[in-house]
Amino acid sequence: MSTRFTTWLSMLFIAILFCALVLLNNQLLSAYRVDLTENKVYSLSQGSEQILTEIDEPLNLYFFFSDKAAKNMTTLRNYAARVQSLLEEYAERSNGKIKLHILDPEPFSEKEDKADQFGLTAANIGTAGEAVYLGLGATNALDDQQVIAFFDPQQERFLEYEISKLIYQLVNPKQVKVTLLTDLPVGGGQNPMTGEFEQPWTFYTQLQQLYVVDKIASDATELPKGTDVLIVAHPKNLSEELLFSIDQYVMQGGRALIFVDPHNESDQMSMLTGAGMGANSSNLARLFDAWGVDFDPQYVLLDAYAGLDVRTQTGDVARHFGFVGLSPNELNATDVTTSNLDLINGASFGIFKKSPRSGLRWNDLIHSTENSDLIDSAQYAQTREPLALSQAYKSDNKQYVLATRLTGNVKSAFEQPPEGIQSETFEQKTKDMNVILVGDTDLLSDRFWVQQSSFFGQTITTPFANNGDFVTNAVENLAGSNALISIRSRGTFARPFDKVEQLKLVAEQKFREQEKILQQQLDETESQLSQLQEQQGEGGALVISSQQQQAIDDFMEQKIQIRKSLREVRHQLDKDIENLGNLIKFVNIVVAPLLLVLLLMGARRLLRSRYNPNKAFSVAKEGQA
Amino acid sequence: MAHIFILFKREFAGYFASPVAYVFIGIFLVLSSVFAFFIGGLYERGQADLLAFFNFHPWLYLFLVPAIAMRSWAEERKSGSIELLMTLPVSTWQAMLGKFLAAWSVLGLALMLTFPLWLTVNYLGQPDNGIIVAAYLGSWLMAGAFLAIGMCMSALSKNQIIAFILAIVVCFVFVVSGSSIVLDAFKGWAPTLLLDTVASFSFLTHFEAMAKGVIALSDVGYFLIVTAAWLYAGLLIIEQKKAD
């Protein structure tokens, strides 16, 4: 009896000890971990650590999580725990510079008021639509504020970037100064063609709302001092002095976003002056040569797959191979500037190639689809009909780089300052080049991404593509420190089955031709059939000769046959992939288990002759004796 | 230590002397692949990872591990061989550890033999192999926890079927303790710390964290604590039965 009592007491003791140990384990050991993921998704990157070393004043981070309200939302709680552990890691590595406060903003509490002060809003989630806060408010010594309104689990890839950006902005609170160098009429004004007054371009208005923007034209001789981000749009005929100024700006670690174009078709003024002169192309060749960038303004990209539908002069809708809409498949999902975008529209893109002597790192942001081709830009400029472009098109089966980010070491395009320029700070090379190149300038103009409408006298702009987001993302990213820019999205990258993709490509190529032939046959049969039926109608005769009837029946039969073949072709497309799937399933479910179990049995037979289990037992018994 | 090793070898070989290990491994390999392909849609998802495979491990273990654990003590007690074992110069904890390590090794072997799936995703695409390694480790640790519970239940009853059912019930509670099924019972009255601790009892939470590719000491620690606690409880039960 007493043994039983002792046992139950011990059991109770184990249960209590178990709970205590689990609690301690959760509290104390969760910080120690090994990140086995390929991209170290769950560890602070060097960029973030660099930003932490730059903190020179105490920062207060207030992490708001509605702990109680989210009681049984396990997924959200797990994500909140992940955010909190990352914030704790920041605080731990900041040498005491970051004070982390963890707050549960319960309804009508002071903590909720604090969340309101930061402008955080609760998201209504859960089955009962509970108001849940999961955000971050932060202040520096001067009481500047930065917030992350809600940590969206969908954006886990950029979690570290978002937090590091917030810390960076608190440490460097001054407003970003953007210099826009362009001759394009981005500021609006009177249109020389129509005489009408036009609104400023939307991207320009957006930039002015977010940053201090200084717009200069190509007649300037140097860039304004204190430029944080330089945007160059459609550079043409830049003076030696201005080129030198851009070059030195980049050599001294300045960040630039450069839009060049083999043919700008949105600037009517340039088109007016350039009529009959061929393409209206940008020119920054001297700098590109030094950077090892091949940008040949003589070629314009045609993309059959990404081409946009446009209305032709005759009123029909046709696919324009030069007007390109780039979807997430063509945008870099791992770069913060392009990852969340759905569509970038542009026209007559130029392509970038890395020249062999370029020592820069290329991180491509936008590329074409594989159904692309290049066409002479002068020929493109003169072609008005989309149909003519599609006739000139012949696929290269190649993806072309349409926008890229360049970083790393590069030499200046100038061996010495040009004559007449005194430069005491002449830099011959840089280790910190940070430039984004985009092969189109038309994407900046409104017609490719916003729709304007009038609402009670107010002009409302509604974006239908993400061109403006791309520009602001790029500027915001470039305005950060190099450390911040170096933090890439890490984690949930798509890892497609390459083998299946290859099979798909081969199958599609193989059957596309066949489908085309069959489709042609079907079209012909259908037109012959309708001709025959029309004749019958015209004659007005109710009686058809047996030959006519036979011909109609034959055509109907043929039509059915061709349709059947077409369906089979479509079906065939997926068949190889399906076969591979079935084979893999069969191998894994039947063959491999059977083989492995048989192998085990064989191995056991082999071992049995060397080892007898009863022998071990008898050894133990001998030990007892 | 030498005794534990001898017992381990005897038990391990014992699994292969009868069809138990072959049947278990065969069923595990077939079921895990069937679940991964037909329910998890491993191929149709088109993603080179083994999520669809590992996601079902807790549910597979829920039935398969108690099946392998149920005989460990119940069989010995039923056939009377436990008395012989107790007369050997080995302590009960050595016997328990020897048995546990042998069964855990069988589970480890079964897991290792799922390598054709790993080869498959490597053939089809480029998976993050670090994540896969972490998930395998997590799965094996979780199997150990299931096993310890199963062995404790086996010590509790002479009847293997009862031991099997009891083990499933207890394991089920541990699997779902992070879900609303269990948490709702605590939600109204329990403080958040208790609720979080109960949620952290869940095998799923710890396994999923490891299957993401991060080996946190707390997750490893959790499975070791569960294993140790249930093995110790089993030990107490055996000692008590011995005294009876």
PDB file of all heavy atoms in Angstrom, chain A residues 7 23 25-26 32 34 36 38 71 74 77 495 498 577 585 624, chain B residues 43-44 47-48 87 124 126 128 178 187 196-197 200 213 215 217-218:
ATOM      1  N   THR A   7       4.503   5.623  -5.055  1.00  0.00           N
ATOM      2  CA  THR A   7       4.556   5.709  -6.524  1.00  0.00           C
ATOM      3  C   THR A   7       3.699   6.867  -7.028  1.00  0.00           C
ATOM      4  O   THR A   7       4.147   7.676  -7.842  1.00  0.00           O
ATOM      5  CB  THR A   7       4.048   4.390  -7.144  1.00  0.00           C
ATOM      6  OG1 THR A   7       4.775   3.322  -6.578  1.00  0.00           O
ATOM      7  CG2 THR A   7       4.225   4.401  -8.659  1.00  0.00           C
ATOM      8  N   LEU A  23       8.375  24.918 -18.606  1.00  0.00           N
ATOM      9  CA  LEU A  23       8.275  26.370 -18.479  1.00  0.00           C
ATOM     10  C   LEU A  23       9.663  27.014 -18.517  1.00  0.00           C
ATOM     11  O   LEU A  23       9.911  27.970 -19.265  1.00  0.00           O
ATOM     12  CB  LEU A  23       7.570  26.701 -17.158  1.00  0.00           C
ATOM     13  CG  LEU A  23       7.157  28.155 -16.972  1.00  0.00           C
ATOM     14  CD1 LEU A  23       6.063  28.496 -17.957  1.00  0.00           C
ATOM     15  CD2 LEU A  23       6.630  28.369 -15.551  1.00  0.00           C
ATOM     16  N   ASN A  25      12.396  25.690 -19.648  1.00  0.00           N
ATOM     17  CA  ASN A  25      12.969  25.399 -20.965  1.00  0.00           C
ATOM     18  C   ASN A  25      12.513  26.457 -21.969  1.00  0.00           C
ATOM     19  O   ASN A  25      13.313  27.018 -22.719  1.00  0.00           O
ATOM     20  CB  ASN A  25      12.507  23.999 -21.372  1.00  0.00           C
ATOM     21  CG  ASN A  25      12.946  23.620 -22.756  1.00  0.00           C
ATOM     22  OD1 ASN A  25      14.136  23.602 -23.027  1.00  0.00           O
ATOM     23  ND2 ASN A  25      12.003  23.334 -23.630  1.00  0.00           N
ATOM     24  N   ASN A  26      11.200  26.768 -21.951  1.00  0.00           N
ATOM     25  CA  ASN A  26      10.666  27.767 -22.884  1.00  0.00           C
ATOM     26  C   ASN A  26      11.265  29.137 -22.639  1.00  0.00           C
ATOM     27  O   ASN A  26      11.566  29.879 -23.569  1.00  0.00           O
ATOM     28  CB  ASN A  26       9.141  27.879 -22.751  1.00  0.00           C
ATOM     29  CG  ASN A  26       8.442  26.627 -23.212  1.00  0.00           C
ATOM     30  OD1 ASN A  26       9.051  25.781 -23.854  1.00  0.00           O
ATOM     31  ND2 ASN A  26       7.174  26.491 -22.858  1.00  0.00           N
ATOM     32  N   TYR A  32      18.756  30.100 -27.752  1.00  0.00           N
ATOM     33  CA  TYR A  32      19.902  29.371 -28.313  1.00  0.00           C
ATOM     34  C   TYR A  32      19.437  28.476 -29.444  1.00  0.00           C
ATOM     35  O   TYR A  32      18.639  27.571 -29.235  1.00  0.00           O
ATOM     36  CB  TYR A  32      20.577  28.524 -27.221  1.00  0.00           C
ATOM     37  CG  TYR A  32      20.994  29.342 -26.042  1.00  0.00           C
ATOM     38  CD1 TYR A  32      20.196  29.417 -24.904  1.00  0.00           C
ATOM     39  CD2 TYR A  32      22.168  30.095 -26.080  1.00  0.00           C
ATOM     40  CE1 TYR A  32      20.551  30.210 -23.826  1.00  0.00           C
ATOM     41  CE2 TYR A  32      22.531  30.895 -25.000  1.00  0.00           C
ATOM     42  CZ  TYR A  32      21.724  30.937 -23.883  1.00  0.00           C
ATOM     43  OH  TYR A  32      22.075  31.737 -22.824  1.00  0.00           O
ATOM     44  N   VAL A  34      20.359  26.919 -33.671  1.00  0.00           N
ATOM     45  CA  VAL A  34      21.198  26.811 -34.859  1.00  0.00           C
ATOM     46  C   VAL A  34      20.276  26.929 -36.074  1.00  0.00           C
ATOM     47  O   VAL A  34      19.268  26.232 -36.151  1.00  0.00           O
ATOM     48  CB  VAL A  34      21.904  25.431 -34.931  1.00  0.00           C
ATOM     49  CG1 VAL A  34      22.954  25.425 -36.027  1.00  0.00           C
ATOM     50  CG2 VAL A  34      22.501  25.066 -33.604  1.00  0.00           C
ATOM     51  N   LEU A  36      19.689  26.165 -39.649  1.00  0.00           N
ATOM     52  CA  LEU A  36      20.221  25.282 -40.698  1.00  0.00           C
ATOM     53  C   LEU A  36      19.734  25.670 -42.095  1.00  0.00           C
ATOM     54  O   LEU A  36      20.108  25.040 -43.076  1.00  0.00           O
ATOM     55  CB  LEU A  36      19.800  23.828 -40.425  1.00  0.00           C
ATOM     56  CG  LEU A  36      20.416  23.143 -39.210  1.00  0.00           C
ATOM     57  CD1 LEU A  36      20.008  21.682 -39.156  1.00  0.00           C
ATOM     58  CD2 LEU A  36      21.928  23.226 -39.226  1.00  0.00           C
ATOM     59  N   GLU A  38      19.290  27.395 -45.673  1.00  0.00           N
ATOM     60  CA  GLU A  38      20.327  27.772 -46.632  1.00  0.00           C
ATOM     61  C   GLU A  38      20.663  29.262 -46.553  1.00  0.00           C
ATOM     62  O   GLU A  38      21.810  29.660 -46.619  1.00  0.00           O
ATOM     63  CB  GLU A  38      19.808  27.434 -48.030  1.00  0.00           C
ATOM     64  CG  GLU A  38      20.872  27.317 -49.076  1.00  0.00           C
ATOM     65  CD  GLU A  38      20.248  26.820 -50.372  1.00  0.00           C
ATOM     66  OE1 GLU A  38      20.181  25.616 -50.562  1.00  0.00           O
ATOM     67  OE2 GLU A  38      19.797  27.653 -51.170  1.00  0.00           O
ATOM     68  N   LYS A  71      -5.573  34.623 -27.694  1.00  0.00           N
ATOM     69  CA  LYS A  71      -5.297  33.447 -26.867  1.00  0.00           C
ATOM     70  C   LYS A  71      -5.219  32.132 -27.637  1.00  0.00           C
ATOM     71  O   LYS A  71      -4.321  31.345 -27.420  1.00  0.00           O
ATOM     72  CB  LYS A  71      -6.340  33.334 -25.765  1.00  0.00           C
ATOM     73  CG  LYS A  71      -5.790  33.720 -24.416  1.00  0.00           C
ATOM     74  CD  LYS A  71      -6.806  33.450 -23.339  1.00  0.00           C
ATOM     75  CE  LYS A  71      -6.208  33.736 -21.976  1.00  0.00           C
ATOM     76  NZ  LYS A  71      -7.175  33.525 -20.912  1.00  0.00           N
ATOM     77  N   THR A  74      -3.141  30.092 -32.647  1.00  0.00           N
ATOM     78  CA  THR A  74      -1.798  29.520 -32.534  1.00  0.00           C
ATOM     79  C   THR A  74      -0.844  30.042 -33.610  1.00  0.00           C
ATOM     80  O   THR A  74       0.290  30.402 -33.311  1.00  0.00           O
ATOM     81  CB  THR A  74      -1.892  27.981 -32.593  1.00  0.00           C
ATOM     82  OG1 THR A  74      -2.850  27.579 -31.628  1.00  0.00           O
ATOM     83  CG2 THR A  74      -0.575  27.337 -32.260  1.00  0.00           C
ATOM     84  N   ARG A  77       0.105  33.587 -32.869  1.00  0.00           N
ATOM     85  CA  ARG A  77       0.940  33.613 -31.660  1.00  0.00           C
ATOM     86  C   ARG A  77       2.362  33.166 -31.999  1.00  0.00           C
ATOM     87  O   ARG A  77       3.326  33.732 -31.514  1.00  0.00           O
ATOM     88  CB  ARG A  77       0.368  32.688 -30.583  1.00  0.00           C
ATOM     89  CG  ARG A  77      -0.910  33.157 -29.962  1.00  0.00           C
ATOM     90  CD  ARG A  77      -1.272  32.268 -28.787  1.00  0.00           C
ATOM     91  NE  ARG A  77      -0.486  32.609 -27.617  1.00  0.00           N
ATOM     92  CZ  ARG A  77      -0.784  33.614 -26.802  1.00  0.00           C
ATOM     93  NH1 ARG A  77      -1.834  34.350 -27.032  1.00  0.00           N
ATOM     94  NH2 ARG A  77      -0.035  33.875 -25.760  1.00  0.00           N
ATOM     95  N   ARG A 495      10.702  27.095 -54.715  1.00  0.00           N
ATOM     96  CA  ARG A 495      11.668  26.100 -55.174  1.00  0.00           C
ATOM     97  C   ARG A 495      10.944  25.143 -56.091  1.00  0.00           C
ATOM     98  O   ARG A 495      10.520  24.073 -55.672  1.00  0.00           O
ATOM     99  CB  ARG A 495      12.280  25.350 -53.989  1.00  0.00           C
ATOM    100  CG  ARG A 495      13.205  26.214 -53.173  1.00  0.00           C
ATOM    101  CD  ARG A 495      13.730  25.471 -51.971  1.00  0.00           C
ATOM    102  NE  ARG A 495      14.589  26.324 -51.186  1.00  0.00           N
ATOM    103  CZ  ARG A 495      15.896  26.452 -51.368  1.00  0.00           C
ATOM    104  NH1 ARG A 495      16.500  25.764 -52.306  1.00  0.00           N
ATOM    105  NH2 ARG A 495      16.604  27.248 -50.604  1.00  0.00           N
ATOM    106  N   ASP A 498      12.348  21.763 -61.060  1.00  0.00           N
ATOM    107  CA  ASP A 498      12.996  22.127 -62.335  1.00  0.00           C
ATOM    108  C   ASP A 498      12.728  21.087 -63.407  1.00  0.00           C
ATOM    109  O   ASP A 498      12.518  21.414 -64.572  1.00  0.00           O
ATOM    110  CB  ASP A 498      14.512  22.266 -62.144  1.00  0.00           C
ATOM    111  CG  ASP A 498      14.837  23.303 -61.105  1.00  0.00           C
ATOM    112  OD1 ASP A 498      13.996  24.200 -60.920  1.00  0.00           O
ATOM    113  OD2 ASP A 498      15.904  23.218 -60.475  1.00  0.00           O
ATOM    114  N   ILE A 577       4.282  14.901 -67.889  1.00  0.00           N
ATOM    115  CA  ILE A 577       4.419  15.336 -66.499  1.00  0.00           C
ATOM    116  C   ILE A 577       3.662  14.373 -65.584  1.00  0.00           C
ATOM    117  O   ILE A 577       4.161  13.975 -64.534  1.00  0.00           O
ATOM    118  CB  ILE A 577       3.870  16.767 -66.348  1.00  0.00           C
ATOM    119  CG1 ILE A 577       4.727  17.704 -67.195  1.00  0.00           C
ATOM    120  CG2 ILE A 577       3.859  17.216 -64.911  1.00  0.00           C
ATOM    121  CD1 ILE A 577       4.107  19.023 -67.482  1.00  0.00           C
ATOM    122  N   LYS A 585       5.607   8.315 -57.856  1.00  0.00           N
ATOM    123  CA  LYS A 585       4.734   7.791 -56.801  1.00  0.00           C
ATOM    124  C   LYS A 585       4.903   6.275 -56.679  1.00  0.00           C
ATOM    125  O   LYS A 585       5.021   5.743 -55.573  1.00  0.00           O
ATOM    126  CB  LYS A 585       3.268   8.125 -57.116  1.00  0.00           C
ATOM    127  CG  LYS A 585       2.931   9.577 -56.844  1.00  0.00           C
ATOM    128  CD  LYS A 585       1.527   9.903 -57.307  1.00  0.00           C
ATOM    129  CE  LYS A 585       1.351  11.412 -57.362  1.00  0.00           C
ATOM    130  NZ  LYS A 585       0.165  11.827 -58.076  1.00  0.00           N
ATOM    131  N   GLN A 624      25.652 -12.839 -14.470  1.00  0.00           N
ATOM    132  CA  GLN A 624      24.931 -12.947 -13.196  1.00  0.00           C
ATOM    133  C   GLN A 624      25.534 -14.076 -12.346  1.00  0.00           C
ATOM    134  O   GLN A 624      25.721 -13.927 -11.146  1.00  0.00           O
ATOM    135  CB  GLN A 624      23.465 -13.247 -13.481  1.00  0.00           C
ATOM    136  CG  GLN A 624      22.635 -13.356 -12.237  1.00  0.00           C
ATOM    137  CD  GLN A 624      21.350 -14.114 -12.495  1.00  0.00           C
ATOM    138  OE1 GLN A 624      21.256 -14.893 -13.448  1.00  0.00           O
ATOM    139  NE2 GLN A 624      20.386 -13.916 -11.639  1.00  0.00           N
TER     140      GLN A 624
ATOM    141  N   TYR B  43       3.788  15.933 -55.191  1.00  0.00           N
ATOM    142  CA  TYR B  43       4.158  16.142 -56.598  1.00  0.00           C
ATOM    143  C   TYR B  43       3.373  17.305 -57.208  1.00  0.00           C
ATOM    144  O   TYR B  43       3.932  18.169 -57.885  1.00  0.00           O
ATOM    145  CB  TYR B  43       3.913  14.855 -57.387  1.00  0.00           C
ATOM    146  CG  TYR B  43       4.403  14.926 -58.809  1.00  0.00           C
ATOM    147  CD1 TYR B  43       5.771  14.944 -59.089  1.00  0.00           C
ATOM    148  CD2 TYR B  43       3.512  14.987 -59.866  1.00  0.00           C
ATOM    149  CE1 TYR B  43       6.229  15.022 -60.387  1.00  0.00           C
ATOM    150  CE2 TYR B  43       3.966  15.053 -61.177  1.00  0.00           C
ATOM    151  CZ  TYR B  43       5.320  15.070 -61.435  1.00  0.00           C
ATOM    152  OH  TYR B  43       5.780  15.160 -62.722  1.00  0.00           O
ATOM    153  N   GLU B  44       2.085  17.356 -56.920  1.00  0.00           N
ATOM    154  CA  GLU B  44       1.231  18.379 -57.540  1.00  0.00           C
ATOM    155  C   GLU B  44       1.577  19.779 -57.047  1.00  0.00           C
ATOM    156  O   GLU B  44       1.407  20.753 -57.771  1.00  0.00           O
ATOM    157  CB  GLU B  44      -0.246  18.077 -57.270  1.00  0.00           C
ATOM    158  CG  GLU B  44      -0.823  16.904 -58.065  1.00  0.00           C
ATOM    159  CD  GLU B  44      -0.323  15.543 -57.575  1.00  0.00           C
ATOM    160  OE1 GLU B  44       0.147  15.457 -56.427  1.00  0.00           O
ATOM    161  OE2 GLU B  44      -0.391  14.571 -58.349  1.00  0.00           O
ATOM    162  N   GLN B  47       6.683  21.958 -55.437  1.00  0.00           N
ATOM    163  CA  GLN B  47       7.722  22.640 -54.662  1.00  0.00           C
ATOM    164  C   GLN B  47       8.726  21.623 -54.129  1.00  0.00           C
ATOM    165  O   GLN B  47       8.332  20.615 -53.528  1.00  0.00           O
ATOM    166  CB  GLN B  47       7.094  23.387 -53.485  1.00  0.00           C
ATOM    167  CG  GLN B  47       6.323  24.625 -53.897  1.00  0.00           C
ATOM    168  CD  GLN B  47       7.236  25.681 -54.493  1.00  0.00           C
ATOM    169  OE1 GLN B  47       8.259  26.036 -53.917  1.00  0.00           O
ATOM    170  NE2 GLN B  47       6.878  26.170 -55.674  1.00  0.00           N
ATOM    171  N   ALA B  48      10.008  21.936 -54.345  1.00  0.00           N
ATOM    172  CA  ALA B  48      11.038  20.993 -53.919  1.00  0.00           C
ATOM    173  C   ALA B  48      11.301  21.127 -52.418  1.00  0.00           C
ATOM    174  O   ALA B  48      12.269  21.747 -51.985  1.00  0.00           O
ATOM    175  CB  ALA B  48      12.316  21.227 -54.712  1.00  0.00           C
ATOM    176  N   THR B  87      15.838 -10.691 -12.614  1.00  0.00           N
ATOM    177  CA  THR B  87      16.852 -11.418 -11.850  1.00  0.00           C
ATOM    178  C   THR B  87      18.252 -11.216 -12.415  1.00  0.00           C
ATOM    179  O   THR B  87      19.239 -11.595 -11.809  1.00  0.00           O
ATOM    180  CB  THR B  87      16.551 -12.935 -11.852  1.00  0.00           C
ATOM    181  OG1 THR B  87      16.484 -13.362 -13.205  1.00  0.00           O
ATOM    182  CG2 THR B  87      15.262 -13.250 -11.132  1.00  0.00           C
ATOM    183  N   LEU B 124      14.001  16.245 -58.537  1.00  0.00           N
ATOM    184  CA  LEU B 124      13.009  17.107 -59.193  1.00  0.00           C
ATOM    185  C   LEU B 124      13.377  18.588 -59.140  1.00  0.00           C
ATOM    186  O   LEU B 124      13.032  19.346 -60.030  1.00  0.00           O
ATOM    187  CB  LEU B 124      11.639  16.914 -58.546  1.00  0.00           C
ATOM    188  CG  LEU B 124      10.945  15.581 -58.826  1.00  0.00           C
ATOM    189  CD1 LEU B 124       9.705  15.433 -57.974  1.00  0.00           C
ATOM    190  CD2 LEU B 124      10.573  15.489 -60.298  1.00  0.00           C
ATOM    191  N   GLN B 126      15.592  21.832 -56.423  1.00  0.00           N
ATOM    192  CA  GLN B 126      16.716  22.128 -55.534  1.00  0.00           C
ATOM    193  C   GLN B 126      16.184  22.487 -54.151  1.00  0.00           C
ATOM    194  O   GLN B 126      16.015  23.670 -53.841  1.00  0.00           O
ATOM    195  CB  GLN B 126      17.529  23.281 -56.103  1.00  0.00           C
ATOM    196  CG  GLN B 126      18.250  22.884 -57.366  1.00  0.00           C
ATOM    197  CD  GLN B 126      18.812  24.073 -58.095  1.00  0.00           C
ATOM    198  OE1 GLN B 126      18.210  25.146 -58.135  1.00  0.00           O
ATOM    199  NE2 GLN B 126      19.963  23.888 -58.686  1.00  0.00           N
ATOM    200  N   ASP B 128      15.962  23.011 -49.989  1.00  0.00           N
ATOM    201  CA  ASP B 128      16.875  23.493 -48.955  1.00  0.00           C
ATOM    202  C   ASP B 128      17.173  22.296 -48.050  1.00  0.00           C
ATOM    203  O   ASP B 128      16.377  21.948 -47.177  1.00  0.00           O
ATOM    204  CB  ASP B 128      16.199  24.626 -48.173  1.00  0.00           C
ATOM    205  CG  ASP B 128      17.154  25.285 -47.205  1.00  0.00           C
ATOM    206  OD1 ASP B 128      18.152  24.626 -46.826  1.00  0.00           O
ATOM    207  OD2 ASP B 128      16.920  26.431 -46.821  1.00  0.00           O
ATOM    208  N   GLY B 178      -1.663  22.224 -28.480  1.00  0.00           N
ATOM    209  CA  GLY B 178      -1.508  23.612 -28.940  1.00  0.00           C
ATOM    210  C   GLY B 178      -2.726  24.104 -29.691  1.00  0.00           C
ATOM    211  O   GLY B 178      -2.837  25.283 -29.997  1.00  0.00           O
ATOM    212  N   LYS B 187      -9.129  28.506 -21.737  1.00  0.00           N
ATOM    213  CA  LYS B 187      -9.166  29.906 -22.154  1.00  0.00           C
ATOM    214  C   LYS B 187      -9.855  30.827 -21.153  1.00  0.00           C
ATOM    215  O   LYS B 187      -9.376  31.911 -20.851  1.00  0.00           O
ATOM    216  CB  LYS B 187      -9.850  30.018 -23.516  1.00  0.00           C
ATOM    217  CG  LYS B 187      -9.479  31.267 -24.263  1.00  0.00           C
ATOM    218  CD  LYS B 187     -10.258  31.345 -25.565  1.00  0.00           C
ATOM    219  CE  LYS B 187     -10.165  32.730 -26.133  1.00  0.00           C
ATOM    220  NZ  LYS B 187     -11.098  32.908 -27.223  1.00  0.00           N
ATOM    221  N   ASP B 196       0.060  29.456 -22.321  1.00  0.00           N
ATOM    222  CA  ASP B 196       1.212  29.324 -23.221  1.00  0.00           C
ATOM    223  C   ASP B 196       2.001  28.061 -22.912  1.00  0.00           C
ATOM    224  O   ASP B 196       2.522  27.410 -23.812  1.00  0.00           O
ATOM    225  CB  ASP B 196       2.134  30.546 -23.111  1.00  0.00           C
ATOM    226  CG  ASP B 196       1.659  31.657 -24.038  1.00  0.00           C
ATOM    227  OD1 ASP B 196       0.779  31.376 -24.880  1.00  0.00           O
ATOM    228  OD2 ASP B 196       2.155  32.790 -23.907  1.00  0.00           O
ATOM    229  N   THR B 197       2.097  27.745 -21.613  1.00  0.00           N
ATOM    230  CA  THR B 197       2.838  26.536 -21.245  1.00  0.00           C
ATOM    231  C   THR B 197       2.101  25.305 -21.766  1.00  0.00           C
ATOM    232  O   THR B 197       2.713  24.399 -22.323  1.00  0.00           O
ATOM    233  CB  THR B 197       3.010  26.449 -19.701  1.00  0.00           C
ATOM    234  OG1 THR B 197       3.512  27.701 -19.255  1.00  0.00           O
ATOM    235  CG2 THR B 197       3.954  25.355 -19.308  1.00  0.00           C
ATOM    236  N   SER B 200       2.613  25.038 -25.272  1.00  0.00           N
ATOM    237  CA  SER B 200       3.973  24.604 -25.605  1.00  0.00           C
ATOM    238  C   SER B 200       4.174  23.115 -25.338  1.00  0.00           C
ATOM    239  O   SER B 200       5.222  22.572 -25.637  1.00  0.00           O
ATOM    240  CB  SER B 200       5.009  25.422 -24.836  1.00  0.00           C
ATOM    241  OG  SER B 200       5.044  25.001 -23.496  1.00  0.00           O
ATOM    242  N   GLY B 213      13.561  24.494 -40.067  1.00  0.00           N
ATOM    243  CA  GLY B 213      14.998  24.555 -40.320  1.00  0.00           C
ATOM    244  C   GLY B 213      15.808  25.143 -39.187  1.00  0.00           C
ATOM    245  O   GLY B 213      17.001  25.358 -39.306  1.00  0.00           O
ATOM    246  N   ILE B 215      17.090  24.644 -35.350  1.00  0.00           N
ATOM    247  CA  ILE B 215      17.171  23.742 -34.212  1.00  0.00           C
ATOM    248  C   ILE B 215      17.333  24.619 -32.975  1.00  0.00           C
ATOM    249  O   ILE B 215      18.434  25.078 -32.668  1.00  0.00           O
ATOM    250  CB  ILE B 215      18.393  22.800 -34.329  1.00  0.00           C
ATOM    251  CG1 ILE B 215      18.430  22.126 -35.693  1.00  0.00           C
ATOM    252  CG2 ILE B 215      18.423  21.802 -33.194  1.00  0.00           C
ATOM    253  CD1 ILE B 215      17.548  20.946 -35.842  1.00  0.00           C
ATOM    254  N   LEU B 217      17.365  25.164 -28.974  1.00  0.00           N
ATOM    255  CA  LEU B 217      17.678  24.315 -27.823  1.00  0.00           C
ATOM    256  C   LEU B 217      16.403  24.000 -27.041  1.00  0.00           C
ATOM    257  O   LEU B 217      16.244  22.909 -26.490  1.00  0.00           O
ATOM    258  CB  LEU B 217      18.690  25.044 -26.935  1.00  0.00           C
ATOM    259  CG  LEU B 217      19.577  24.161 -26.075  1.00  0.00           C
ATOM    260  CD1 LEU B 217      20.281  23.123 -26.916  1.00  0.00           C
ATOM    261  CD2 LEU B 217      20.585  25.001 -25.315  1.00  0.00           C
ATOM    262  N   SER B 218      15.471  24.965 -27.051  1.00  0.00           N
ATOM    263  CA  SER B 218      14.228  24.750 -26.286  1.00  0.00           C
ATOM    264  C   SER B 218      13.381  23.632 -26.901  1.00  0.00           C
ATOM    265  O   SER B 218      12.715  22.900 -26.170  1.00  0.00           O
ATOM    266  CB  SER B 218      13.416  26.042 -26.216  1.00  0.00           C
ATOM    267  OG  SER B 218      13.141  26.497 -27.503  1.00  0.00           O
TER     268      SER B 218
END
